[in-house]
Amino acid sequence: MTLTPTRAVDVRVRRLTTTLYGYSFLEEFVLLYPVYALLFSDTGLSVWQISSLFALWSVTAVVLEVPSGAWADAVSRRLLLVVGPLLTGAGFALWILLPSYAAFAVGFVLWGTGGALCSGALEALVYDELERGGASGRYARVLGRARAAGLVAVMAAMGLAGPVLAWGGHAAVGTASVLVCLLTSVTALRFPEHRVARAEERQGWGVALRAGLGEARRDRSVRGALLLVPAVAAVWGALDEYTPLLVREAGVADVAVPWVLLVIWGGATAGSLLAEEGERFGSGGLALLLGGGGLALAVGAVADTVAGLLLVAVAFGAFQAATVLAEARLQHRIESTGRATLTSVAGLGTEVVTLTVFAGYTVIASGHGHGAAFAVSAVPYVVLAVGLGAVRWGRAAWRRPVLTRARSRACRPW
């Protein structure tokens, strides 16, 4: 049977999206995620040592984020998506085989390196392949569904980690995590990749890096989109780490905390799936999501009740949808040359802002509690929403007299 060109394109797009959804699920379906802090503690590490491991992980990601994006533009993006999970799996294997501070440190460096290799490369590959199939307009929907698959995997890992840990200890949890990393790498082999690097990109990652950053310098809309991604994604991404403490502060018993967290992440999953609906409303819709999410977060956090936590779930859904829309806006504005590089620049900005949020949150929560810290963290979203609304209103006000003058000239008798 001979496929028509349209049918053939649909088949290629379907293969791309199903591979992406499977990859996104497996990438987050790691049973070690909810319990690796317990592994460190059971090995005898102090709080200071555990904190230093987290810092090493963050520094690795920050240092390698942009160079790895430039490398993805200079070589095969699919290759990086295959190698990244293998490095992460190797780090997890070290943790289980040689549990010690040194092994944990090397494992975090491997994990940070693997994550940096995939960051930027995945989004760039998916967008370019969708564009090749004439389906770049579907990017927000596809990315939203991929993020939802990852969130479902996180929730599934939360539910399974406890029983597996009780059955086989850290060895069983770690072995399962390594196997999942291997499956993720194998799944990446199914990604289609038809992109051919341009001559300047083939000269090396340094040239690709300069080409990508040059586009941001030349194009104001790209710069704006680059700044918008960390502004939207960083704050609520940092708050994620503190949601168990907020839930406990609201009076929820420790045994019920995971169930409340599932509700909150259910809200974020719904936001991913509904992100496409917000794209049609442009900057106005994005402003409504951010402003509404900020208000819901503030009210829900200070309520100090279980009902208030439902508003936090609504806020996380709004922020997740807004993050998908901001990332889609960036991809729509980037030319193909430095797509992975500039996506990684946005990722670097998110990492840096997240570290700043961690510091500010610690100061506020230490003196006033977690509810107050969450409420204060909602303020940037309200301010950003007002700013986006003002920009949109200003552009509309500027266009109105221009259009009026144009109509007036068109109606004049000659």
Side-chain angles (χ1 to χ4, degrees):
M1 180 179 68
T2 302
L3 295 177
T4 64
T6 302
R7 180 95 178 268
V9 167
D10 288 341
V11 170
R12 289 197 296 267
V13 171
R14 192 177 304 115
R15 177 184 175 182
L16 169 68
T17 55
T18 53
T19 303
L20 172 64
Y21 301 152
Y23 186 91
S24 299
F25 181 90
L26 291 171
E27 190 178 31
E28 299 295 339
F29 187 58
V30 177
L31 301 192
L32 267 173
Y33 286 175
V35 299
Y36 61 72
L38 301 180
L39 170 63
F40 302 156
S41 180
D42 292 346
T43 306
L45 269 61
S46 66
V47 175
W48 181 87
Q49 288 175 311
I50 294 174
S51 298
S52 69
L53 290 174
F54 292 157
L56 179 62
W57 185 24
S58 297
V59 169
T60 302
V62 167
V63 170
L64 296 179
E65 180 74 37
V66 176
S68 66
W71 192 25
D73 281 329
V75 299
S76 166
R77 292 163 179 168
R78 180 172 57 193
L79 173 63
L80 269 61
L81 296 177
V82 172
V83 173
L86 294 179
L87 293 177
T88 302
F92 293 159
L94 271 178
W95 289 2
I96 302 304
L97 295 174
L98 302 169
S100 63
Y101 181 83
F104 295 149
V106 174
F108 266 121
V109 171
L110 289 171
W111 187 1
T113 303
L117 290 180
C118 298
S119 175
L122 179 63
E123 294 87 348
L125 183 149
V126 170
Y127 190 90
D128 280 349
E129 291 299 319
L130 285 174
E131 190 174 47
R132 183 175 183 271
S136 60
R138 303 184 201 174
Y139 181 76
R141 177 174 64 183
V142 170
L143 181 62
R145 291 178 177 179
R147 294 293 168 79
L151 290 170
V152 169
V154 169
M155 292 187 288
M158 286 180 179
L160 289 175
V164 173
L165 183 65
W167 171 71
H170 294 299
V173 173
T175 300
S177 300
V178 172
L179 290 176
V180 167
C181 289
L182 294 176
L183 284 174
T184 308
S185 180
V186 171
T187 301
L189 293 171
R190 294 192 72 255
F191 276 116
E193 185 177 28
H194 298 89
R195 169 185 173 272
V196 178
R198 299 182 183 182
E200 64 270 19
E201 294 173 319
R202 289 194 294 268
Q203 294 176 18
W205 72 269
V207 176
L209 175 61
R210 288 192 294 273
L213 295 179
E215 181 180 355
R217 287 194 300 269
R218 293 189 302 270
D219 192 332
R220 185 172 61 182
S221 67
V222 173
R223 290 199 302 274
L226 277 174
L227 294 173
L228 183 62
V229 171
V232 172
V235 177
W236 83 275
L239 293 179
D240 161 37
E241 303 295 335
Y242 301 101
T243 47
L245 301 175
L246 177 70
V247 172
R248 176 191 282 174
E249 189 176 78
V252 177
D254 286 358
V255 293
V257 167
W259 299 107
V260 177
L261 292 179
L262 287 178
V263 173
I264 292 175
W265 285 110
T269 303
S272 285
L273 295 174
L274 296 173
E276 180 193 12
E277 300 301 320
E279 192 171 31
R280 70 184 66 179
F281 298 107
S283 297
L286 184 59
L288 285 175
L289 282 172
L290 294 171
L295 292 175
L297 180 64
V299 173
V302 299
D304 201 27
T305 63
V306 175
L309 295 175
L310 294 178
L311 286 176
V312 175
V314 171
F316 272 37
F319 296 149
Q320 176 65 42
T323 299
V324 171
L325 293 176
E327 292 175 346
R329 175 180 293 203
L330 175 62
Q331 296 301 325
H332 288 316
R333 281 163 171 71
I334 297 175
E335 295 296 331
S336 60
T337 302
R339 188 174 302 282
T341 301
L342 290 175
T343 304
S344 291
V345 170
L348 173 62
T350 301
E351 291 286 347
V352 171
V353 176
T354 297
L355 291 174
T356 304
V357 174
F358 283 152
Y361 185 98
T362 301
V363 172
I364 298 170
S366 298
H368 304 282
H370 297 284
F374 268 72
V376 172
S377 299
V379 173
Y381 287 114
V382 177
V383 172
L384 181 58
V386 172
L388 287 173
V391 170
R392 185 172 182 270
W393 180 85
R395 287 175 178 171
W398 180 82
R399 287 172 183 162
R400 197 175 299 116
V402 172
L403 291 174
T404 301
R405 288 194 298 269
R407 291 193 189 101
S408 176
R409 286 194 298 267
C411 294
R412 288 176 186 171
W414 292 95

